Amino acid sequence: MARALAIAERDEKPAIQEVPAQIPEAGQVRVAVEAASVNGIDAATAAGYLWDLMPHTFPVTLGRDFAGLVQAVGDGVTNVQVGDRVAGVITGMALGKGAIADSATVDAGTTAVIPEAVSSAQAAGLGLVGLTATALLDALKLTADDTVLVSGATGGVGAVAVQLAAATGAKVIGTARPGAAEFVRGLGAHEVVDYTADLGAAVQVVAPDGVTAVVHAAGDPATLAGVLQPGGRLASALGATPEQAGRDDVTVLTAMADATSEQLTKLLEATANGSLQVPVFRTYTFDEAHQAVTDFGNHKLGKLVIIIR
Ligand SMILES: NC(=O)c1ccc[n+]([C@@H]2O[C@H](COP(=O)([O-])OP(=O)(O)OC[C@H]3O[C@@H](n4cnc5c(N)ncnc54)[C@H](OP(=O)(O)O)[C@@H]3O)[C@@H](O)[C@H]2O)c1
């Protein structure tokens, strides 16, 4: 058996409990988890918002990304071996397997060896949000001529997106509620706008002609599309549609995290060489894991990480 933050049955709350331990199948690895992070999908699952939207196989263990030591490998695994410290992401549209557990079983193709300079807490906090931010930036193809608004810059996805956007040479404007501007500037944003007031007016002050690109990691698509110049593009992590954006002279792109060893390795190497920060706002013990999920929507800056061992 394994210990996990899991939901035993429909309409129950998550709690630390024993769940069946998994034997890695071909192409999979089992990892002794050292740290796991909380993502929006965990908060939504815990709140019961996904009961009828995604298939649940009970007990449903929460958590989509983690770092830990490989305990066992299935047939055909060549990219990692027993004893390696790896980061990994659990992908897919089904809920059941999770990362907030003392052991997790995942496809080896969605794991990568963690460089020594990167802590397990950082690696766990980077996985899903780093891959999502990468997909958003890949969709936008920013250049130094762009002015980009990152909406949700104080969150996990947005914090990485601000840094990746700044690295392209584009002018970066990040959103923050009052009191959080310094955090966003510290990630490399040139300007910060208060999204709790009139966002359009605040963007106009710092970008009088509007922006050429928007990273949508939070907020109302129509409001965000409203600050785009004609011909601009909006990349959404929330599946925003052109209809929601409400403009036919801009391009709306959808970005999904593409979990591969190669993408994870790039993000981990950038963290190791200091070009990418993983802002961990708070760490929790395994016993506090449910609290971490509860705290997810409570105005944190960056990531919440659970230290399992
Ligand atoms: N497509 C994919 O593959 C994928 C993968 C992962 C996540 N996602 C989605 O991406 C989104 C971001 O994820 P995350 O992990 O970064 O979530 P998060 O950590 O909760 O970040 C969201 C941030 O947005 C801020 N915010 C709230 N309302 C806002 C508004 N109207 N305008 C601007 N900022 C606002 C929040 O800050 P305050 O409330 O403190 O102000 C918070 O810092 C979520 O919807 C998640 O489901 C998609």
Side-chain angles (χ1 to χ4, degrees), residues 48-148:
Y49 299 149
L50 305 179
W51 292 139
D52 299 316
L53 299 178
M54 286 172 77
H56 289 56
T57 303
F58 294 102
V60 168
T61 297
L62 300 182
R64 288 259 153 171
D65 45 16
F66 63 87
L69 296 181
V70 175
Q71 284 179 317
V73 299
D75 288 344
V77 172
T78 53
N79 61 322
V80 298
Q81 49 191 330
V82 171
D84 281 349
R85 192 169 63 105
V86 298
V89 174
I90 296 171
T91 57
M93 286 303 288
L95 294 166
K97 281 187 188 181
I100 306 175
D102 58 10
S103 88
T105 303
V106 290
D107 292 339
T110 64
T111 66
V113 174
I114 304 172
E116 218 168 281
V118 179
S119 71
S120 291
Q122 288 174 303
L126 179 61
L128 187 60
V129 296
L131 294 167
T132 307
T134 300
L136 288 160
L137 270 288
D138 285 351
L140 289 174
K141 298 185 175 61
L142 296 178
T143 70
D145 294 332
D146 277 300
T147 299
V148 58

Side-chain angles (χ1 to χ4, degrees), residues 38-41 128-129 132 151-158 175-177 195-196 216-220 236-238 255-257 296-303:
V38 185
N39 287 284
I41 190 169
L128 187 60
V129 296
T132 307
S151 180
T154 41
V157 173
T175 58
R177 62 175 48 249
Y195 80 82
T196 66
H216 177 217
D220 171 52
S236 178
L238 287 80
M256 290 298 290
F296 183 79
N298 281 345
H299 307 321
K300 61 188 178 44
L301 298 172
K303 293 293 297 180

